[in-house]
Amino acid sequence: IADRVKHHITEAGMALYMQQEAESVKTTYVQDLLDMHDKYLQLVVSCFQDSQLFHKALKDAFEVFVNKDIGKTQTAELLSTFSDQILKKSGEKMSEKEVEDTLERLVRLFTFLSDKDVFAEAYRKQL
């Protein structure tokens, strides 16, 4: 069953990836990834009793599409830009708790990146 769950999540993620690949503006991709991860994490926790086998399936599925480049832009760069926007601009629009929750969710996505140095380099350039 875990393999089927992994396959389903991978297909959903690849559909999101293909949708973003076709669009010229990538502003919602990271938020869509965060929402997708929340949805499937909740599924693993509630329907599969927080099983480590299903957590691994979730992790493996996300690693497939999170590490794909969107056009000429790497997901790590998009995560970096999104993080920067949250830290610099969302303080006015979001409460401190909302900012903290969003950053925690971003860290979960960050763990799926295979090339974390790209994120660090992109974020350094934004400072």
Side-chain angles (χ1 to χ4, degrees):
I1 293 176
D3 285 337
R4 291 296 308 148
V5 169
K6 176 185 171 187
H7 180 73
H8 173 75
I9 295 170
T10 302
E11 283 183 347
M14 289 304 293
L16 178 62
Y17 165 78
M18 296 302 284
Q19 175 188 354
Q20 291 296 315
E21 184 82 352
E23 294 179 11
S24 60
V25 180
K26 315 295 185 229
T27 56
T28 64
Y29 184 59
V30 174
Q31 185 62 52
D32 292 343
L33 283 174
L34 290 171
D35 295 342
M36 179 183 282
H37 186 265
D38 289 347
K39 172 185 169 183
Y40 288 114
L41 181 61
Q42 182 61 33
L43 177 80
V44 167
V45 170
S46 64
C47 295
F48 300 111
Q49 291 87 28
D50 214 13
S51 167
Q52 289 304 310
L53 183 64
F54 288 93
H55 275 286
K56 182 173 179 359
L58 177 68
K59 175 185 174 285
D60 292 347
F62 265 80
E63 285 176 347
V64 170
F65 52 87
V66 165
N67 288 297
K68 290 195 170 288
D69 296 348
I70 308 282
K72 295 180 180 179
T73 308
Q74 294 180 309
T75 303
E77 293 174 87
L78 295 173
L79 284 173
S80 171
T81 301
F82 189 85
S83 300
D84 190 54
Q85 290 172 350
I86 293 294
L87 289 170
K88 288 183 178 175
K89 299 175 186 159
S90 293
E92 305 153 2
K93 302 174 191 171
M94 300 169 73
S95 71
E96 189 174 321
K97 174 90 170 106
E98 290 172 321
V99 170
E100 188 175 314
D101 289 345
T102 302
L103 291 175
E104 284 179 17
R105 293 168 59 212
L106 273 168
V107 169
R108 282 188 229 133
L109 282 184
F110 179 78
T111 63
F112 302 130
L113 290 175
S114 60
D115 195 1
K116 293 172 177 62
D117 293 339
V118 172
F119 175 91
E121 181 63 25
Y123 197 78
R124 186 185 63 77
K125 287 179 182 177
Q126 292 170 346
L127 295 177

